[in-house]
């Protein structure tokens, strides 16, 4: 248990918003801690590019309220300039931490581009709040779809920096082997020198294997583990339990019951702490 994983890449979706900038700082810190390569990904949305230049396509000025035709050449120039500035921000974050870093530009739909760029052992960091595609929906819903569909771990973060003096919280893993989810939560708690809180599903207690793994880690590291029962696995209940535990982050399996429905995925948008979704 808790054998160290191979060095992974830390991918981060970049845009010129507060949420994406917070995600970049989180991703850079994570890459420095894991001695991993930091990869910044900027996606040129093909839906936007296809719509540019159509006779009925217009954009509205945020300052004057005036409309003007949405011209393909103008959109291309804006995208190139945005990419240049984002690469500078990535370079600055990487250089400050002496990281290996790389900037990639994809041209596709956001979710598909992110999934194509990611490998199973990568971690993809996305911003939860304050992120909007230039002509598209809020990043919150996009973050939920990425966490559902992307083939790597996805870390959803907000604009506020997490408080590292609080415990890491993990939902009790299902199935016969709790090791992958628990190992990840244990590493996160150990790296931050914080306790671990395991949320137990309704009507269950800690399994023999779960107690063994948790006790083994607790004795070796000297950090306490506590178990807390929850009434159900609805998103609202998990949000309440996390606040009650004063958790700094939630670790949850992609295969868990709460993430089996669209309602469950809304918890990724409702929480004000980082959520790490793993396989």
């Amino acid at each position: 248990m808790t054998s160290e994983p191979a060095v992974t890449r830390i991918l981060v979706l970049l845009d010129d918003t507060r949420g994406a900038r917070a995600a970049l700082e989180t991703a850079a810190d994570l890459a420095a801690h894991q001695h991993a390569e930091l990869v910044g990904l900027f996606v040129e949305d093909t839906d936007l590019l296809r719509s540019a230049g159509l006779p009925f396509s217009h954009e509205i000025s945020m300052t004057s309220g005036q409309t003007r035709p949405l011209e393909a050449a103008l959109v291309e120039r804006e995208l190139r300039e945005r990419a240049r500035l984002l690469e500078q921000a990535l370079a600055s974050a990487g250089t400050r931490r002496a990281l290996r870093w790389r900037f990639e530009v994809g041209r596709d739909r956001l979710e598909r581009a992110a999934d194509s760029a990611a490998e199973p052992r990568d971690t993809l960091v996305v911003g939860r709040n304050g992120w909007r595609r230039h002509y598209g929906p809020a990043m919150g819903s996009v973050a939920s779809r990425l966490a559902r569909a992307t083939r790597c771990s996805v870390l959803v973060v907000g604009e506020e920096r997490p408080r590292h003096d609080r415990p890491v919280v993990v939902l009790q893993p299902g199935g016969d082997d709790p090791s992958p989810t628990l190992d990840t939560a244990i590493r996160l708690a150990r790296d931050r020198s914080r306790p671990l809180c395991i949320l137990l599903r309704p009507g269950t207690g800690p399994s023999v294997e779960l107690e063994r793994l948790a006790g083994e880690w607790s004795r070796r590291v000297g950090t306490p583990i506590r178990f807390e029962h929850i009434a159900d696995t609805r998103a609202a209940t998990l949000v309440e339990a996390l606040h009650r535990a004063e958790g700094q982050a939630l670790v949850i399996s992609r295969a868990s019951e709460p993430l089996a429905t669209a309602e469950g995925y809304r918890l990724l948008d409702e929480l004000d702490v980082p959520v790490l979704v793993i396989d």
Side-chain angles (χ1 to χ4, degrees), residues 6 39 42-43 45 50 60 68 71-72 103 116 138 154 166 173 185 187 193 221 225 279:
V39 180
F42 173 60
V43 179
D45 194 314
R50 277 195 294 266
I60 302 175
R68 63 178 180 181
E71 299 177 358
F103 181 71
S116 296
V154 176
R166 295 180 173 181
R187 280 196 297 270
S193 301
V221 180
I225 290 180
D279 282 324

Side-chain angles (χ1 to χ4, degrees), residues 45-267:
D45 194 314
T46 50
D47 288 341
L48 170 63
L49 292 166
R50 277 195 294 266
S51 66
L54 294 175
F56 51 80
S57 295
H58 286 71
E59 61 179 342
I60 302 175
S61 170
M62 295 291 289
T63 53
S64 68
Q66 298 295 312
T67 64
R68 63 178 180 181
L70 185 59
E71 299 177 358
L74 176 61
V75 171
E76 292 277 5
R77 286 198 300 273
E78 289 181 349
L79 290 173
R80 285 195 297 271
E81 176 62 13
R82 199 181 312 171
R84 183 184 68 81
L85 295 175
L86 292 172
E87 185 173 12
Q88 288 180 354
L90 179 69
S92 176
T95 300
R96 290 198 309 271
R97 299 166 176 85
L99 295 173
R100 292 177 293 114
W101 64 270
R102 181 158 44 90
F103 181 71
E104 295 184 357
V105 177
R107 180 165 288 198
D108 205 333
R109 289 188 172 182
L110 181 65
E111 299 93 322
R112 194 160 54 200
D115 188 52
S116 296
E119 297 294 337
R121 297 195 68 85
D122 294 337
T123 297
L124 173 66
V125 183
V126 297
R128 174 187 293 120
N129 302 318
W131 195 105
R132 290 185 181 274
R133 283 192 279 181
H134 199 50
Y135 301 92
M139 181 60 181
S141 60
V142 175
S144 300
R145 293 198 296 273
L146 284 169
R148 184 194 298 265
T150 307
R151 53 183 168 170
C152 67
S153 298
V154 176
L155 177 60
V156 182
V157 300
E159 295 177 39
E160 297 294 326
R161 302 287 281 182
R163 288 188 55 177
H164 293 306
D165 58 339
R166 295 180 173 181
V168 172
V169 178
V170 57
L171 179 64
Q172 178 187 12
D176 297 328
D177 182 11
S179 298
T181 303
L182 190 59
D183 277 353
T184 301
I186 284 172
R187 280 196 297 270
L188 190 59
R190 182 198 61 196
D191 292 346
R192 300 183 180 187
S193 301
R194 299 312 307 158
L196 183 66
C197 176
I198 301 177
L199 301 179
L200 300 174
R201 287 198 213 85
T204 67
S207 67
V208 172
E209 179 66 4
L210 183 61
E211 283 192 317
R212 184 189 68 79
L213 292 174
E216 179 184 298
W217 173 76
S218 183
R219 287 189 297 273
R220 185 172 67 250
V221 180
T223 299
I225 290 180
R226 77 173 189 266
F227 294 95
E228 181 173 327
H229 289 271
I230 53 176
D232 54 64
T233 54
R234 292 182 302 112
T237 304
L238 289 180
V239 171
E240 180 184 346
L242 191 67
H243 288 161
R244 188 167 59 246
E246 296 188 324
Q248 63 166 280
L250 173 67
V251 180
I252 188 168
S253 168
R254 189 174 280 121
S256 64
E257 298 97 323
L259 298 188
T261 65
E263 178 190 3
Y265 267 86
R266 284 203 292 271
L267 76 89

